[in-house]
Amino acid sequence: MKLTVEDILDAAQSLVDEEGLGGLNMRAIARRLDVQGSALYWHIHNRSELLTMLANLYYQRAFDLVPANLDWPEWLRTYGRAFHTELLAHRDAAQICGLARPASRSVAKGLDRLAAPLLSAGLTRTQALACQSSVIALAVGWAMYEQSPHMKSHLARALDIPGSFLQGLDAMVTGLAGTVLPANRKTPGRRKG
Amino acid sequence: MKLTVEDILDAAQSLVDEEGLGGLNMRAIARRLDVQGSALYWHIHNRSELLTMLANLYYQRAFDLVPANLDWPEWLRTYGRAFHTELLAHRDAAQICGLARPASRSVAKGLDRLAAPLLSAGLTRTQALACQSSVIALAVGWAMYEQSPHMKSHLARALDIPGSFLQGLDAMVTGLAGTVLPANRKTPGRRKG
DNA sequence: ACCTGAACACCGTTCAAGT
DNA sequence: ACCTGAACACCGTTCAAGT
């Protein structure tokens, strides 16, 4: 019966899905949970922290969808597609990623967790994070335009939006695979764990 | 002496540069121009239109920096670098691009103007817009993270941020050059106009 | 035509007070 | 510990009224 952070996140996300980020205010969230707006502040610090938590869910859910036993370029491609799909599944998700201040310590752990599959494939930490970051940047950038209603309808008239994103992603990952490990194009493949 | 839209844009941009997007409110802009907040509404429709005009300046200024006589992959690469640099020159510019609703007609003209150098190099309109969009998405996505203070300081500890963006951009453009026009890798080169 | 002054509805956040 | 109720400071926007 008691209010939890998960309740707040659920209410916030469904509110954004229905009314957009502009409709996300503390009183409206509270109304859905049958409490006063001020009650939320017992469970979260402020609205910005709430956005941060929402954004972290997007990264997390995409990560959980990607099998661990892919070679690294294929892992990157698959994560990029999954993250992009996850963003498009939630209205204004790309904007939320942009507004999110990284969570206190979860940013350090999160980034490294994201990069782990690339590390175990033999990339250095720097290489892994660089590739990972470019893939995330491409997905969030595309989603940002796809989630702007006017921009999307205009782009949709001129090009195949999902196809164009995939083309860009494939091009980038292929290019990275050629430059990051030029001497090690074929990775050893699946490994347990 | 009279207030102009340019005055408002200048004041808005310098306010954002100094205090961030959070500090951009209509009354603060007006204060810098020695008018009341309500005076701004004679010249612009609302705050959202103001953000849209700021964003369009970023696209525009980057475009103006790129020479027209490059072959199309080099043109794309150069535009991507210029746009990314322009975004980083203005605090929270990537977020502003995300919040901007495309201007009434300037979006149609703007996109096609952006794509013109690619069209004259022999790409179809669809191909040109797809490549252009992926480059813009990558730049805006990277800038979004680079302009989040916490995220940036954390990324900076683990990788070379400007280098990683350039690596991603180069990889993508090279990949696009290989897939978009596989039979026409060498463009005919400079053309008058 | 262009701007002021005052107002309206709304928002994030705080905090004493309740249970 | 957890929530209410009221308040504070602030915001975008409107509009009658001035010049």
Side-chain angles (χ1 to χ4, degrees), chain A residues 56 102-116 119 125 129, chain B residues 150-151 154-155 157-158:
Chain A
N56 284 338
S104 37
R105 58 195 157 288
S106 93
V107 60
K109 287 168 65 176
L111 254 180
D112 278 330
R113 197 140 122 265
L114 243 52
L119 290 176
R125 186 173 130 90
L129 290 176
Chain B
H150 296 83
M151 193 67 92
H154 187 267
L155 284 178
R157 251 171 267 139

Side-chain angles (χ1 to χ4, degrees), chain B residues 93-136:
Chain B
Q95 259 187 63
I96 290 174
C97 287
L99 293 169
R101 304 285 153 211
S104 38
R105 58 196 158 284
S106 93
V107 60
K109 286 169 66 175
L111 254 180
D112 278 331
R113 195 137 124 267
L114 244 51
L118 302 183
L119 290 176
S120 72
L123 271 68
T124 67
R125 187 172 129 92
T126 298
Q127 286 172 332
L129 290 175
C131 294
Q132 185 74 43
S133 301
S134 277
V135 165
I136 290 176

Side-chain angles (χ1 to χ4, degrees), chain A residues 59-73:
Chain A
Y59 298 107
Q60 187 52 50
R61 281 197 288 255
F63 182 87
D64 291 339
L65 282 175
V66 183
N69 62 337
L70 304 171
D71 65 23
W72 74 264

Side-chain angles (χ1 to χ4, degrees), chain A residues 111-182:
Chain A
L111 254 180
D112 278 330
R113 197 140 122 265
L114 243 52
L118 302 183
L119 290 176
S120 73
L123 273 67
T124 67
R125 186 173 130 90
T126 297
Q127 286 172 333
L129 290 176
C131 294
Q132 185 74 43
S133 301
S134 276
V135 165
I136 290 177
L138 183 66
V140 92
W142 263 101
M144 173 152 287
Y145 291 108
E146 292 173 87
Q147 292 182 325
S148 166
H150 295 83
M151 194 66 93
K152 169 168 179 167
S153 73
H154 186 267
L155 284 177
R157 250 171 268 140
L159 54 83
D160 167 31
I161 296 183
S164 299
F165 164 70
L166 289 178
Q167 184 183 27
L169 178 64
D170 285 350
M172 194 168 71
V173 172
T174 302
L176 288 173
T179 57
V180 167
L181 277 187

Side-chain angles (χ1 to χ4, degrees), chain B:
Chain B
M1 274 296 111
K2 272 199 186 153
L3 201 54
T4 68
V5 181
E6 282 73 31
D7 293 334
I8 297 176
L9 287 176
D10 285 350
Q13 184 61 68
S14 56
L15 189 58
V16 173
D17 286 339
E18 292 169 29
E19 314 203 9
L21 185 53
L24 183 74
N25 65 74
M26 304 303 277
R27 281 173 241 254
I29 299 170
R31 209 174 302 129
R32 300 204 160 204
L33 299 166
D34 284 313
V35 293
Q36 295 298 111
S38 52
L40 304 178
Y41 289 87
W42 181 262
H43 301 275
I44 59 169
H45 286 101
N46 48 43
R47 183 176 185 272
S48 178
E49 187 194 24
L50 204 152
L51 295 177
T52 296
M53 296 172 102
L54 288 181
N56 283 338
L57 287 177
Y58 307 145
Y59 298 106
Q60 187 54 51
R61 282 196 286 254
F63 181 87
D64 291 340
L65 281 174
V66 183
N69 61 337
L70 305 171
D71 65 21
W72 74 264
E74 192 54 28
W75 191 93
L76 255 188
R77 220 187 309 266
T78 309
Y79 181 77
R81 279 195 296 255
F83 181 51
H84 181 249
T85 301
E86 174 68 21
L87 290 178
L88 292 189
H90 300 289
R91 190 162 161 190
D92 292 338
Q95 259 187 63
I96 290 174
C97 287
L99 293 169
R101 304 285 153 211
S104 38
R105 58 196 158 284
S106 93
V107 60
K109 286 169 66 175
L111 254 180
D112 278 331
R113 195 137 124 267
L114 244 51
L118 302 183
L119 290 176
S120 72
L123 271 68
T124 67
R125 187 172 129 92
T126 298
Q127 286 172 332
L129 290 175
C131 294
Q132 185 74 43
S133 301
S134 277
V135 165
I136 290 176
L138 183 66
V140 92
W142 263 102
M144 172 153 287
Y145 291 109
E146 292 173 86
Q147 291 183 324
S148 165
H150 296 83
M151 193 67 92
K152 168 167 181 167
S153 73
H154 187 267
L155 284 178
R157 251 171 267 139
L159 54 83
D160 167 32
I161 296 183
S164 299
F165 164 70
L166 288 179
Q167 184 183 28
L169 178 64
D170 286 349
M172 195 168 71
V173 171
T174 303
L176 288 173
T179 57
V180 167
L181 277 188
N184 190 12
R185 204 151 303 183
K186 286 284 175 198
T187 53
R190 63 227 64 196
R191 249 212 227 172
K192 276 219 168 158

